[in-house]
Amino acid sequence: MRGGKALIWGLLLGLSAPISAATMTEVDKPAITYPDTRRELIVETHFGESVADPYRWLEADVRQAPDVADWVTRENALTRDYLSALPQRAWFAAHIRRYLDFERYGLPEKAGKRYFYERNSGLQNQAQLFVRDGLDAEPRLLLDPNTWARDGATALDAWEPSPKGRYLLYSVQDGGSDWRLLRVIDVRTGKLLGDEIHWAKFTGLSWVGEEGFLYSRFPAPEAGTAFQGLNYNQSIWFHRLGTAQEADELVFATPDNPIYGHHAQVTHDGRLAVITSSVGTDARYEVRVVDLKQRKRRGWQADLLVAGFDHDWKLVEGKGRKLWFVTNHDAPRYRLVGIDLDAKAPGWEEIVPQNKEILERAGLVGDQLVLNYLRDAASHALIVALDGTGARELELDGIGTASGFRGRPGDPETFYALSSFNCPATIYRMNMDTGTALPFVQPKWCFNPEDFLVEQRFYTSRDGTRVPMFIVRRKDVAKSGKAVPTLLYGYGGFDVSLTPGFSAVRLAWVQTGGAFAVANLRGGGEYGREWHDAGRREKKQNVFDDFIAAGEYLVAQGITSKGGLAIQGGSNGGLLVGAVVNQRPDLFAAANAAVGVMDMLRFDRFTAGRYWVDDYGYPDREDDFRVLRAYSPYHNIRDGVDYPAILVTTADTDDRVVPGHSFKYAAALQGAKIGSKPHLIRIETRAGHGSGKPTDKAIEEGADILSFLAEWTGLQVPPPR
């Protein structure tokens, strides 16, 4: 399944700039009068402890609750007035736009003789999808999401061509929601078919020959609950082209276990459908196999291949009835295994054993396997034969991230992309038989990547753990040895690895003279299962300690100085920002908590929140409650302590982390006695958790955030000419 929203969203995440005392303090800054926010007397007892929740009314859906809508309007007006008056804002908006204004492509996908890929000419709100009827044929526009909505907020999400390239199945995301509409287009004629699938969410797109496809969906939500209701009973369906959704065939469901999620993939030769079932966000799966060749006789019978939700199983590919997987079963840093279902006694065969690095994924291209490894959060790749022998390394320049390497058995052609903090993705076409890799697309930028220094350093956390961190600066800034305003980013959860990648927003900060740092905290996937386990549930405090230690390191090493450090994180990273600001408000000058999980006692009551108990624990279990209560950002704001300047950002259609988290947190900040620095909330309309956001909105948001952080860390932009 292909999808190129990262073409926009992934790109948007002179002299060295001294820290100016005048911009660090509240001198000459008018006092802010926050809108009145109603407090209600809601106090509940949990395991003998009284817990107040005075802003619970802000959890209501802004589309359904006029009082919440009115609060959003008043808060947005205050924030808009404040941000528009910042002198840095115009500079950042212009430079983010400049660094984003170049032609860029997504990774091509081959089907039959056709090649499909996304392209953005530079500042289009959404990337377009093109097709070529051969590698050297003229490109033809197939889908243009920019025509789907006036505000540009309806996006092409994922897409998958049928095996022969006759049709293209794609999903549509509207207003940033996680819900998807599935549609099909005839590739030759460009005609949209009448097929429409509603209420798909967290779905794969997998063709069964040219006749139809497999997808995952939930039951239609009750009226008024689409953006906040919990999601249960995900199931897999088969849709035959030319029929109504009501005629779709149920492939797999677990009504006795409504919390299970299910995802289907079909091997490239069309022989097997692999169904992966999960119980939460942890990479612990059960795996079943449907033999599509036996469908007339056996229907959709799914045979159990892996029982018990104990380990990660990532399908690599299938050939006939042989399958390859990447797994952490008996290998916390992952290994490659295979199984032949036609063997007399099918059993797992180890093909590539675990080594010191993390095997992230693998692809089968032609008659070879490409293995993607993480080494201290940076990519490298190995190519091996199908039996794991003859390993050779694919040379990748510098500190960066490699992605792609998709292909199919029997075809030696593959595409991959290389990117880093100072370099947008360059796409290569590779022949696996010859080992030749040539640029397919190399962007033309308005900056020189050689002007920037990308370093990886290691620092020591509170308990002695060695933690990696990337630091990006202009070379002249690094050479000067001066402390500069620094933006520190972190996530630390859900087995997610933060690897080097280009962002026009971050480049604007660095080009202005600041430093940008990414800390690879525990809770992520940078070093496998042990690293993830060391930062979740009862060990979540390790994540906060790692982030605080990163900030202390940046100050101690003279990268920045006290009063020059800003922090940023989104989603689970928004929780991170909220927690460390409560714990160490003295360390940070400014903070951006984006789409964060801020009420840790009620996160499991909305949309996908119930999945997160794997990382956070269960609020209704006493041991977990004690842990959650101790760091929940909403519940631990400390009166009588000066807090840094804080900009909370969220969106009204975020149905992943509902905006009520941010609403309540911002209201609590504004109602507390925590100093006179601004504590504002920016609420985007017709947007969600981040993906699918149009370029115009992403530029405006980036400029707002950077100007706010610059104002309170002292990052000065050049005066207008």
Side-chain angles (χ1 to χ4, degrees):
M1 180 175 64
R2 300 294 303 160
K5 289 179 297 183
L7 279 174
I8 291 176
W9 188 243
L11 290 163
L12 293 161
L13 286 174
L15 299 173
S16 62
I19 297 175
S20 166
T23 55
M24 287 168 52
T25 68
E26 295 94 315
V27 174
D28 298 326
K29 294 186 184 299
I32 293 177
T33 301
Y34 298 111
D36 290 333
T37 301
R38 184 174 79 248
R39 289 177 58 92
E40 296 182 345
L41 186 60
I42 297 178
V43 180
E44 296 175 337
T45 301
H46 299 271
F47 306 105
E49 180 176 347
S50 296
V51 179
D53 190 2
Y55 302 112
R56 184 174 294 180
W57 64 274
L58 286 170
E59 292 177 350
D61 189 340
V62 67
R63 284 159 290 268
Q64 310 288 331
D67 53 350
V68 177
D70 175 66
W71 182 87
V72 167
T73 298
R74 290 183 288 119
E75 290 285 346
N76 263 344
L78 171 67
T79 301
R80 184 170 56 252
D81 288 347
Y82 181 92
L83 295 174
S84 62
L86 294 178
Q88 307 92 335
R89 193 188 181 285
W91 164 272
F92 282 120
H95 282 72
I96 294 170
R97 183 173 295 274
R98 179 174 177 236
Y99 297 140
L100 197 57
D101 191 8
F102 64 90
E103 184 182 41
R104 52 196 181 274
Y105 288 73
L107 282 163
E109 175 80 0
K110 185 178 181 182
K113 295 182 179 180
R114 289 180 167 133
Y115 294 80
F116 301 81
Y117 57 89
E118 291 185 45
R119 173 188 174 274
N120 191 308
S121 62
L123 295 174
Q124 291 174 298
N125 272 326
Q126 304 289 346
Q128 299 170 312
L129 183 68
F130 287 83
V131 61
R132 295 184 189 177
D133 295 327
L135 185 64
D136 298 320
E138 285 296 312
R140 175 163 51 92
L141 179 61
L142 194 60
L143 292 173
D144 185 3
N146 298 288
T147 65
W148 294 350
R150 287 186 178 181
D151 62 358
T154 302
L156 173 63
D157 175 50
W159 48 270
E160 185 70 23
S162 63
K164 295 180 180 179
R166 181 179 177 184
Y167 303 107
L168 184 102
L169 168 65
Y170 64 97
S171 57
V172 178
Q173 179 185 25
D174 186 58
S177 171
D178 278 338
W179 292 111
R180 299 292 186 265
L181 171 68
L182 308 187
R183 309 195 75 171
V184 181
I185 191 170
D186 184 302
V187 174
R188 184 181 64 82
T189 65
K191 180 181 178 182
L192 191 66
L193 304 189
D195 305 68
E196 281 194 358
I197 303 298
H198 296 266
W199 304 117
K201 183 188 269 196
F202 310 139
T203 181
L205 304 176
S206 295
W207 284 93
V208 178
E210 304 286 317
E211 63 175 305
F213 54 86
L214 301 177
Y215 67 96
S216 302
R217 61 158 294 180
F218 290 94
E222 295 181 8
T225 67
F227 296 102
Q228 290 203 325
L230 286 166
N231 303 138
Y232 290 106
N233 286 304
Q234 189 181 37
S235 50
I236 296 174
W237 296 78
F238 171 71
H239 175 78
R240 190 180 305 278
L241 292 185
T243 65
Q245 182 174 357
E246 291 74 19
D248 288 356
E249 300 174 31
L250 179 62
V251 174
F252 187 76
T254 52
D256 292 338
N257 292 287
I259 65 171
Y260 289 5
H262 309 293
H263 181 273
Q265 295 170 271
V266 176
T267 56
H268 267 110
D269 64 3
R271 177 64 188 270
L272 301 176
V274 177
I275 295 173
T276 304
S277 299
S278 61
V279 291
T281 55
D282 265 9
R284 297 181 290 112
Y285 305 113
E286 286 193 338
V287 181
R288 291 171 173 81
V289 177
V290 178
D291 191 331
L292 297 175
K293 191 175 181 180
Q294 304 295 324
R295 192 153 46 108
K296 287 185 179 180
R297 182 171 62 87
R298 305 180 73 213
W300 296 107
Q301 182 172 322
D303 299 321
L304 187 64
L305 180 62
V306 177
F309 296 95
D310 300 315
H311 305 289
D312 192 0
W313 296 89
K314 302 174 184 176
L315 176 66
V316 176
E317 186 52 274
K319 196 173 182 181
R321 284 177 54 81
K322 184 167 185 177
L323 293 167
W324 290 267
F325 287 84
V326 169
T327 182
N328 60 3
H329 178 44
D330 292 334
R333 292 181 299 282
Y334 291 85
R335 60 185 178 137
L336 182 72
V337 299
I339 189 169
D340 186 350
L341 300 179
D342 279 337
K344 290 184 179 179
W348 293 105
E349 173 190 4
E350 183 174 83
I351 298 171
V352 178
Q354 171 184 246
N355 64 33
K356 293 185 295 184
E357 296 158 359
I358 304 302
L359 177 57
E360 276 201 301
R361 59 188 178 276
L364 198 162
V365 184
D367 58 357
Q368 299 179 83
L369 291 157
V370 183
L371 312 178
N372 281 72
Y373 284 94
L374 267 190
R375 179 189 295 151
D376 292 328
S379 293
H380 75 108
L382 290 179
I383 299 172
V384 301
L386 295 183
D387 61 1
T389 61
R392 68 183 192 275
E393 185 155 359
L394 179 64
E395 293 296 328
L396 306 176
D397 294 333
I399 297 173
T401 298
S403 58
F405 299 109
R406 286 193 50 158
R408 61 191 67 223
D411 187 343
E413 183 180 45
T414 189
F415 295 88
Y416 65 93
L418 294 179
S419 64
S420 189
F421 294 110
N422 60 337
C423 187
T426 297
I427 297 175
Y428 295 86
R429 176 176 178 259
M430 184 176 184
N431 185 303
M432 295 287 290
D433 289 343
T434 65
T436 303
L438 298 173
F440 176 75
V441 174
Q442 188 158 9
K444 296 179 181 179
W445 316 299
C446 65
F447 60 92
N448 183 2
E450 294 302 315
D451 290 343
F452 303 92
L453 175 67
V454 179
E455 301 177 84
Q456 185 176 47
R457 298 193 186 185
F458 294 84
Y459 66 92
T460 302
S461 190
R462 181 178 181 179
D463 62 358
T465 298
R466 185 172 179 260
V467 182
M469 176 164 56
F470 296 107
I471 302 174
V472 187
R473 292 174 286 176
R474 287 198 333 239
K475 286 182 177 177
D476 63 315
V477 170
K479 187 176 181 179
S480 75
K482 294 180 180 178
V484 297
T486 297
L487 175 55
L488 172 62
Y489 184 89
Y491 187 79
F494 296 96
D495 202 25
V496 172
S497 301
L498 296 186
T499 58
F502 179 77
S503 161
V505 173
R506 294 167 179 173
L507 185 69
W509 178 272
V510 174
Q511 180 62 53
T512 307
F516 174 73
V518 176
N520 297 108
L521 314 171
R522 281 175 284 184
E526 289 86 350
Y527 294 105
R529 176 175 280 181
E530 295 104 328
W531 196 252
H532 177 210
D533 287 345
R536 65 188 183 118
R537 304 290 289 264
E538 74 280 1
K539 297 179 181 178
K540 188 68 175 177
Q541 184 60 41
N542 287 336
V543 182
F544 311 142
D545 290 343
D546 289 355
F547 201 53
I548 289 168
E552 292 173 333
Y553 175 88
L554 292 167
V555 173
Q557 293 295 308
I559 305 296
T560 192
S561 62
K562 190 172 178 62
L565 181 61
I567 54 173
Q568 183 183 48
S571 194
N572 174 73
L575 156 64
L576 167 70
V577 169
V580 299
V581 163
N582 283 337
Q583 294 180 16
R584 284 295 306 277
D586 61 300
L587 182 59
F588 313 112
N592 169 222
V595 293
V597 188
M598 299 308 199
D599 184 344
M600 300 309 297
L601 305 185
R602 290 174 61 79
F603 70 84
D604 60 338
R605 302 183 182 216
F606 304 97
T607 61
R610 66 175 181 82
Y611 293 115
W612 311 335
V613 294
D614 286 341
D615 246 53
Y616 298 148
Y618 294 82
D620 60 354
R621 298 178 184 177
E622 183 171 2
D623 288 347
D624 290 343
F625 168 82
R626 300 294 180 199
V627 173
L628 294 165
R629 175 64 181 84
Y631 70 76
S632 177
Y634 173 57
H635 297 95
N636 286 281
I637 296 167
R638 295 189 285 158
D639 267 340
V641 177
D642 282 344
Y643 269 49
I646 301 172
L647 179 62
V648 181
T649 52
T650 187
D652 63 357
T653 315
D654 188 349
D655 50 2
R656 183 83 55 85
V657 179
V658 294
H661 281 280
S662 293
F663 294 175
K664 291 167 62 176
Y665 174 64
L669 287 173
Q670 293 175 1
K673 298 175 182 178
I674 53 175
S676 58
K677 290 179 179 146
H679 305 124
L680 304 172
I681 183 167
R682 181 189 190 278
I683 304 149
E684 187 66 83
T685 58
R686 287 268 296 153
H689 202 56
S691 65
K693 187 172 291 184
T695 299
D696 287 345
K697 285 188 176 184
I699 291 171
E700 293 299 304
E701 180 183 54
D704 283 346
I705 293 170
L706 292 192
S707 58
F708 182 87
L709 300 179
E711 177 73 3
W712 290 96
T713 57
L715 182 62
Q716 297 177 329
V717 303
R721 294 179 180 178

